Amino acid sequence: MIINGVHIDETFAEAFPMRATRVIVTAQNLKWAQHAAQAMTGFATSVIACGCEAGIERELDPAETPDGRPGVSALLFAMGGKGLAKQLETRAGQCVLTSPTSALFAGLDEGEQIPLGKNLRYFGDGFQISKRIGGKRYWRVPVMDGEFLCQETTGMIKAVGGGNFLILAESQPQALAACEAAIDAMRRIPNVIMPFPGGVVRSGSKVGSKYKTLPASTNDAFCPTLKGQTRTELSPEIESVMEIVIDGLSDADIAKAMRAGIEAACGLGAANGIRRISAGNYGGKLGPFLFHLREIMA
């Protein structure tokens, strides 16, 4: 398959089950909602070392938020429910409770309920007050700028992590330009995040390492400087490869995001140095979700 001169490899991305939740952060204005949400979703690129994967899904108009203020929706993913609950509570307590004028609400009603303000309320040292509205419990925690309003729980559902595709280009600037175009398109798709910085990974990894203590190491087959030293996947004209990783609330959401991103990258075409689209997989040994590139783009 070739799109605008870009070869689409006959391969697949391999993804795995995760647990996910969505939260809504609001504040006096969008600037402060973003501050809180960015802090809460920081250092959350990969479960390999961060404990969870998280990112901002989109900005919300006041009409879309529970308290009628500007807000941001964020998605958090982890390998299990216990780990996700712990990460959510820690990040909410350290990054949202602390942020001026913030409030925090559930972004998912369905699924298993996990604590949001249920334990954070104890910061109120006995001065916290609960309020039940429409069958949902909220906590009003006194803080120095007024009150921190937080819903008691949020929903946790089954989700999918590790969707991905690789952009292979003739140069580093060309690969990055294609990634930026892809991310711009993918951010219009709901229910997904691309958790790495700016949505892009320059250090794609393979499972395992020659060093026994490392669970992952550099994907040498796609490193252009190692063409003469390893079993390379790169032809002579490829000088830069970048990866986009996608976590989604469902496999359908990931497939939709992958299609939007690949279409945008291919829009730059071979004329702008974009030569191939590929994907990362481990022969079907890592996870049950297989995203075949050519089926997605058909």
Side-chain angles (χ1 to χ4, degrees):
M1 175 184 283
I2 295 175
I3 301 175
N4 198 23
V6 181
H7 183 269
I8 310 298
D9 284 2
E10 190 168 8
T11 188
F12 60 88
E14 186 175 358
F16 44 84
M18 298 186 86
R19 294 292 184 274
T21 189
R22 175 192 283 125
V23 295
I24 295 172
V25 181
T26 68
Q28 177 175 285
N29 54 46
L30 188 57
K31 170 185 173 182
W32 283 100
Q34 281 280 9
H35 279 315
Q38 288 173 4
M40 183 178 65
T41 58
F43 187 59
T45 55
S46 170
V47 290
I48 292 176
C50 301
C52 75
E53 299 178 6
I56 292 173
E57 183 184 21
R58 68 184 182 94
E59 296 178 350
L60 301 173
D61 294 329
E64 299 177 282
T65 65
D67 62 359
R69 301 191 300 169
V72 171
S73 65
L75 296 173
L76 293 87
F77 297 76
M79 298 304 290
K82 187 176 179 180
L84 180 61
K86 180 61 178 174
Q87 286 287 331
L88 175 62
E89 186 172 287
T90 300
R91 290 165 181 271
Q94 295 300 310
C95 305
V96 184
L97 167 64
T98 58
S99 184
T101 78
S102 69
L104 185 60
F105 303 96
L108 288 174
D109 292 327
E110 66 269 35
E112 179 183 349
Q113 295 297 301
I114 57 176
L116 194 56
K118 186 175 182 179
N119 298 321
L120 292 181
R121 65 181 159 126
Y122 293 115
F123 182 75
D125 200 24
F127 295 102
Q128 67 272 20
I129 301 170
S130 70
K131 188 82 173 180
R132 185 175 288 276
I133 302 173
K136 299 175 182 177
R137 182 181 293 277
Y138 300 84
W139 287 97
R140 297 167 58 188
V141 180
V143 288
M144 293 195 303
D145 78 344
E147 282 186 338
F148 173 59
L149 178 63
C150 188
Q151 196 165 337
E152 181 165 78
T153 61
T154 186
M156 176 179 66
I157 62 173
K158 294 179 179 178
V160 182
N164 71 82
F165 62 91
L166 307 175
I167 296 175
L168 289 69
E170 295 175 8
S171 71
Q172 193 178 74
Q174 290 169 326
L176 188 57
C179 286
E180 289 175 342
I183 290 297
D184 285 346
M186 296 167 77
R187 283 185 172 148
R188 302 187 193 109
I189 306 298
N191 304 331
V192 298
I193 58 165
M194 285 64 72
F196 283 89
V200 184
V201 192
R202 58 97 68 103
S203 58
S205 61
K206 65 178 183 293
V207 175
S209 165
K210 66 184 291 185
Y211 305 105
K212 293 181 179 178
T213 57
L214 294 181
S217 61
T218 192
N219 195 351
D220 52 273
F222 285 90
C223 292
T225 60
L226 298 180
K227 286 178 185 174
Q229 303 176 54
T230 191
R231 190 173 178 178
T232 186
E233 291 282 343
L234 307 181
S235 50
E237 72 276 14
I238 304 299
E239 292 296 340
S240 185
V241 181
M242 296 185 191
E243 180 177 6
I244 294 177
V245 174
I246 310 108
D247 296 334
L249 297 186
S250 73
D251 54 348
D253 293 323
I254 288 182
K256 191 178 297 183
M258 287 178 65
R259 181 180 176 92
I262 293 171
E263 279 183 342
C266 291
L268 295 179
N272 288 294
I274 312 306
R275 303 301 294 263
R276 281 172 55 201
I277 302 293
S278 191
N281 68 70
Y282 308 95
K285 298 177 182 177
L286 181 65
F289 299 100
L290 308 182
F291 297 93
H292 292 268
L293 296 184
R294 293 187 179 182
E295 291 180 7
I296 287 174
M297 300 310 297

